């Protein structure tokens, strides 16, 4: 602003701290006037703006304005000078009435603000043009603004948004990003520049200086920004030596960097131990994903880390590869990763040996997989068909589905796959969990299945040493059949496992009262009496499952 222009800065301290939210005025019709924030500041809408966004404190806004006294005397006008006025909102660079009023405007909006002396130049005025205690009027048009974001909330990285990005997703630490950037000292000296095609890196690995990774996590695809980077987030007291084509960075230098987030690939940890990692190469719309029992169709190319392809399915005219999720028809890593994919998604899945073929040499279609190999699958989810949900079934269908799941669980139990069996029993029980408004015969069948599925599930939990869950399942059975000896017997075993010996004794005694000659209950009682403690090294006694 030229020296002869009116000084719009306030005298004294700013009332609103930088970054504090100012309540926006309610929507106005053209010609309507309302007070803003009960502060005496009034706004009359002269021209409607575009879109819905309004600037925030810290943003750099550009306006045209004309200022007058209440009698119409003009004292300043950017329009007369033919040069818009630019300043930062909420930073005390202008009078309080401007900071509080312009934050309510949309791009292209024009408004007449009536500003009381308390929000203008107060009792001092601005001689000779503005008398003391003057109420002022400003005809303001908001031409544009640039978002300024304090990335770390400490002034160390200021981000000025040049162009907004797409959608709403932003990269996270594990993600792989592609960026373009150019870094300069404050005098314009070039100190770094990415190749024309950009540079790829994982966010948590960082690139060039710490500020790049921190800033990129606040950006959307296609967003372009200018970063002002203080030494703390640049190269600090050490600076950086010159590299070919680029100047050195002196100690304690502030760097200005233009940065564009070209794209990013989301990286997901499929398993908690981070041994199955999925990098999304092509995003897909929607939210639906496969679940246990879903029939999926995929295309994939599977490689070793050295690039050797050992398997390829669904290409060159071949039908997509089909399997059922959670049925152990593929390796565990692929099974788990596919459950996280949407139709149309393409992902690169890295699978460590524990979720692949382990320490066994394995012959596949196109090559031999050495022991302890990490595998890389590029997978496209072509389609999937979920099992019919219980709410879409009638009672007969639910009972039949429950029987089928229970039989699948029985088959898995018999070969020692207790974790998978437990899932089947759990799903079988859920099909018939709610059996109100059904016939007496259907209710009878439902009860038999509930008892059988929960008992079998409890047997799995005992094998897996999940004693608390076994107690819950047996208790469910006893709510239906209080004299069920098998439920009492298994709950007693679970109580011994949790060291609740008094509760175990109660169940054992009750079971013996019901079936005095039951050999297994007697054995359990002998164990309880002889040990009175948990023997962590004992092998669980063999259990039968209910096939009824």
């Amino acid at each position: 602003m030229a020296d002869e222009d009116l000084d719009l800065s306030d005298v004294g301290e700013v009332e609103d701290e930088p970054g504090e939210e100012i309540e926006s005025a309610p929507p106005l019709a053209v010609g309507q006037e309302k007070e803003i924030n009960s502060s005496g500041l009034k706004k009359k809408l002269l021209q409607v703006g575009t879109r819905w966004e309004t600037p925030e404190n810290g943003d750099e806004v550009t306006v045209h304005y004309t200022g007058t006294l209440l009698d119409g005397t003009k004292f300043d006008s950017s329009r007369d000078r033919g040069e818009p006025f630019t300043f930062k909102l909420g930073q005390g660079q202008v009078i309080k009435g401007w900071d509080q009023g312009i934050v309510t405007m949309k791009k292209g909006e024009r408004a007449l603000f009536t500003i009381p002396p308390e929000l203008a130049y107060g009792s001092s005025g601005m001689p000779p043009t503005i008398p003391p205690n003057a109420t002022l009027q400003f005809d303001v048009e908001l031409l544009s603004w640039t978002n300024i974001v304090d990335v770390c909330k400490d002034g160390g990285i200021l981000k000025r948004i040049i162009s907004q990005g797409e959608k709403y997703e932003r990269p996270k630490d594990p993600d792989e990003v592609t960026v373009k950037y150019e870094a300069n000292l404050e005098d314009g000296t070039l100190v770094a520049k990415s190749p024309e095609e950009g540079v790829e890196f994982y966010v948590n690995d960082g690139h060039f200086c710490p500020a790049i990774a921190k800033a990129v996590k606040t950006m959307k695809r296609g967003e372009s920004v200018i970063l002002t980077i203080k030494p703390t987030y640049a190269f600090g007291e050490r600076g950086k030596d010159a590299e070919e084509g680029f100047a050195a960075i002196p100690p304690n230098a502030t760097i200005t960097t233009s940065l564009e987030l070209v794209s990013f690939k989301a990286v997901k940890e499929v398993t908690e131990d981070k041994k199955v990692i999925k990098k999304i190469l092509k995003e897909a719309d929607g939210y639906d994903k496969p679940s246990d029992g879903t029939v999926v169709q995929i295309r994939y190319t599977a490689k070793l880390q050295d690039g050797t392809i050992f398997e390829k399915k669904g290409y060159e005219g071949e039908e997509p590869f089909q399997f059922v999720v959670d049925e152990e028809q593929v390796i565990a890593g692929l099974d788990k990763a596919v459950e996280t994919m949407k139709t149309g998604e393409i992902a690169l899945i890295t699978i460590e040996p524990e979720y692949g073929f382990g320490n066994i040499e394995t012959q596949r279609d196109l090559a031999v997989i050495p022991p302890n190999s990490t595998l890389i699958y590029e997978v496209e989810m072509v389609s999937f068909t979920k099992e019919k949900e219980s709410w879409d079934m009638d009672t007969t269908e639910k009972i039949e589905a429950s029987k089928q799941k229970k039989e699948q669980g029985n088959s898995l139990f018999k070969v020692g796959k207790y974790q998978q069996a437990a899932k089947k029993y759990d799903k079988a029980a859920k099909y018939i969990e709610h059996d109100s408004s059904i016939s007496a015969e259907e209710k009878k069948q439902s009860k038999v299945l509930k008892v059988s599925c929960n008992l079998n599930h409890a047997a799995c939990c005992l094998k897996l040493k999940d004693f608390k869950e076994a107690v819950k399942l047996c208790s469910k059975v006893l709510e239906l059949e209080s004299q069920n000896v098998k439920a009492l017997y298994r709950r007693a075993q679970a109580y011994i496992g949790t060291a609740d010996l008094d509760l175990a004794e109660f169940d054992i005694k009750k079971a013996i009262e019901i079936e005095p000659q039951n050999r297994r209950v007697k054995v359990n009682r002998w164990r309880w009496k002889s040990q009175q403690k948990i023997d962590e090294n004992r092998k669980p006694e063999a259990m039968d499952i209910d096939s009824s």
Side-chain angles (χ1 to χ4, degrees):
M1 197 170 177
D3 292 340
E4 66 269 26
D5 297 342
L6 181 68
D7 183 4
L8 288 167
S9 62
D10 192 10
V11 288
E13 296 296 317
V14 291
E15 183 176 300
D16 300 294
E17 292 296 325
E20 181 181 337
E21 288 287 335
I22 305 294
E23 180 185 351
S24 296
L28 297 175
V30 172
Q32 187 179 8
E33 183 178 62
K34 284 191 178 181
E35 186 175 359
I36 298 174
N37 292 341
S38 303
S39 61
L41 172 65
K42 295 179 180 178
K43 174 183 176 182
K44 181 178 181 179
L45 186 64
L46 304 178
Q47 176 180 297
V48 176
T50 59
R51 296 176 62 83
W52 54 270
E53 301 98 333
T54 56
E56 298 178 1
N57 285 333
D59 290 350
E60 194 172 77
V61 299
T62 299
V63 301
H64 260 316
Y65 70 91
T66 299
T68 62
L69 303 178
L70 285 180
D71 64 6
T73 302
K74 184 193 298 184
F75 55 80
D76 190 21
S77 175
S78 66
R79 295 185 179 95
D80 291 349
R81 293 191 299 274
E83 184 179 330
F85 175 53
T86 298
F87 68 99
K88 286 185 179 180
L89 268 178
Q91 309 297 302
Q93 295 180 1
V94 294
I95 57 175
K96 296 185 182 88
W98 270 45
D99 270 341
Q100 293 183 22
I102 291 173
V103 78
T104 71
M105 299 180 73
K106 302 178 180 70
K107 184 177 180 180
E109 182 178 319
R110 187 170 176 177
L112 180 67
F113 292 101
T114 301
I115 304 177
E118 297 80 15
L119 301 179
Y121 297 98
S123 58
S124 301
M126 185 68 70
T129 52
I130 298 176
N133 297 310
T135 295
L136 310 179
Q137 288 190 318
F138 284 92
D139 175 348
V140 180
E141 181 181 2
L142 179 56
L143 302 176
S144 64
W145 77 85
T146 303
N147 295 120
I148 305 292
V149 179
D150 186 349
V151 173
C152 296
K153 310 301 182 189
D154 60 2
I157 308 171
L158 296 180
K159 181 182 81 168
R160 180 155 59 98
I161 300 175
I162 305 302
S163 64
Q164 298 285 348
E166 304 170 353
K167 299 185 178 180
Y168 63 89
E169 299 96 342
R170 292 172 172 84
K172 297 180 177 61
D173 280 329
D175 296 347
E176 184 182 69
V177 298
T178 301
V179 302
K180 294 180 181 179
Y181 67 91
E182 182 177 308
N184 302 85
L185 301 178
E186 289 179 291
D187 63 5
T189 302
L190 182 65
V191 294
K193 186 176 182 179
S194 65
E196 198 63 39
E197 67 276 11
V199 62
E200 284 186 345
F201 64 93
Y202 289 99
V203 176
N204 50 14
D205 290 341
H207 181 74
F208 181 58
C209 70
I212 299 294
K214 290 182 181 296
V216 85
K217 289 195 287 185
T218 71
M219 298 171 67
K220 296 178 282 189
R221 283 184 179 87
E223 185 175 322
S224 295
V225 303
I226 301 291
L227 301 177
T228 301
I229 307 170
K230 295 295 176 65
T232 308
Y233 295 100
F235 294 93
E237 297 178 356
R238 298 178 61 183
K240 185 176 183 292
D241 293 338
E243 295 182 0
E244 185 176 352
F246 304 115
I249 299 174
N252 298 312
T254 294
I255 299 173
T256 300
T257 303
S258 61
L259 177 66
E260 178 190 355
L261 177 56
V262 179
S263 64
F264 70 89
K265 297 165 185 171
V267 177
K268 310 288 185 184
E269 293 166 357
V270 176
T271 56
E272 289 184 5
D273 57 10
K274 303 179 183 180
K275 292 186 176 182
V276 181
I277 302 294
K278 182 184 79 167
K279 179 164 70 175
I280 299 175
L281 304 181
K282 179 187 172 187
E283 297 274 2
D285 296 327
Y287 301 95
D288 202 20
K289 298 173 184 175
S291 55
D292 293 356
T294 299
V295 178
V296 300
Q297 291 190 319
I298 62 173
R299 294 188 185 94
Y300 70 83
T301 301
K303 302 178 182 179
L304 302 176
Q305 284 183 301
D306 65 4
T308 302
I309 297 175
F310 62 82
E311 202 161 62
K312 198 170 185 178
K313 299 286 186 182
Y315 294 101
E316 299 173 356
E318 184 182 19
E319 289 293 314
F321 177 69
Q322 180 173 298
F323 69 96
V324 181
V325 172
D326 201 40
E327 293 285 352
E328 297 190 321
Q329 296 177 5
V330 295
I331 57 172
L334 181 59
D335 216 350
K336 291 177 182 296
V338 161
E339 281 193 82
T340 70
M341 297 181 68
K342 306 171 194 172
T343 299
E345 181 180 324
I346 300 176
L348 198 67
I349 301 162
T350 302
I351 303 171
E352 293 195 21
E354 293 88 334
Y355 293 91
F357 296 99
N359 58 5
I360 301 170
E361 181 176 280
T362 307
Q363 174 69 56
R364 302 304 285 178
D365 293 350
L366 304 176
V368 173
I369 300 173
N372 299 311
S373 291
T374 293
L375 315 173
I376 300 169
Y377 282 72
E378 184 172 323
V379 180
E380 177 186 357
M381 175 63 78
V382 178
S383 66
F384 59 84
T385 306
K386 286 188 170 183
E387 290 183 305
K388 195 173 183 179
E389 299 289 354
S390 60
W391 54 79
D392 291 325
M393 296 179 179
D394 60 28
T395 305
T396 303
E397 289 176 312
K398 288 179 183 178
I399 290 173
E400 187 56 38
S402 179
K403 288 178 180 177
Q404 288 178 5
K405 288 294 175 189
K406 193 194 86 164
E407 288 307 316
Q408 291 171 7
N410 290 353
S411 298
L412 290 164
F413 188 96
K414 288 170 183 174
V415 294
K417 295 181 177 179
Y418 305 121
Q419 193 77 53
Q420 295 92 323
K423 287 184 180 180
K424 299 297 181 185
Y425 294 134
D426 182 58
K427 192 155 190 175
K430 283 179 177 174
Y431 277 123
I432 49 172
E433 195 169 16
H434 307 290
D435 59 1
S436 57
S437 68
I438 64 174
S439 70
E441 178 56 34
E442 288 171 335
K443 190 166 283 193
K444 183 179 176 182
Q445 292 182 57
S446 175
K447 180 182 174 182
V448 169
L449 277 168
K450 283 180 184 177
V451 168
S452 178
C453 291
N454 284 320
L455 281 173
N456 291 354
H457 191 175
C460 293
C461 290
L462 289 171
K463 292 286 190 181
L464 297 166
K465 298 189 183 300
D466 187 354
F467 301 119
K468 288 184 179 179
E469 186 63 22
V471 167
K472 289 180 187 177
L473 291 162
C474 292
S475 297
K476 281 185 180 181
V477 173
L478 291 166
E479 286 173 12
L480 295 170
E481 295 181 352
S482 61
Q483 302 288 301
N484 190 297
V485 171
K486 196 175 283 188
L488 288 166
Y489 164 66
R490 288 185 182 166
R491 192 168 70 174
Q493 283 188 294
Y495 280 140
I496 292 172
T498 59
D500 293 309
L501 300 181
D502 290 343
L503 294 173
E505 180 186 21
F506 179 85
D507 279 354
I508 291 168
K509 285 182 176 179
K510 187 171 180 180
I512 288 176
E513 286 174 11
I514 298 166
E515 289 187 12
Q517 303 307 314
N518 190 303
R519 184 187 64 82
R520 287 188 175 175
V521 176
K522 287 181 176 181
V523 169
N524 232 17
R525 188 183 189 193
W526 175 81
R527 280 182 179 157
W528 172 80
K529 279 187 171 182
S530 63
Q531 295 180 37
Q532 291 288 296
K533 64 179 182 176
I534 301 173
D535 180 0
E536 292 182 351
N537 296 319
R538 71 178 174 86
K539 294 182 179 179
E541 183 182 348
M543 282 172 282
D544 61 333
I545 53 173
D546 191 341
S547 301
S548 60

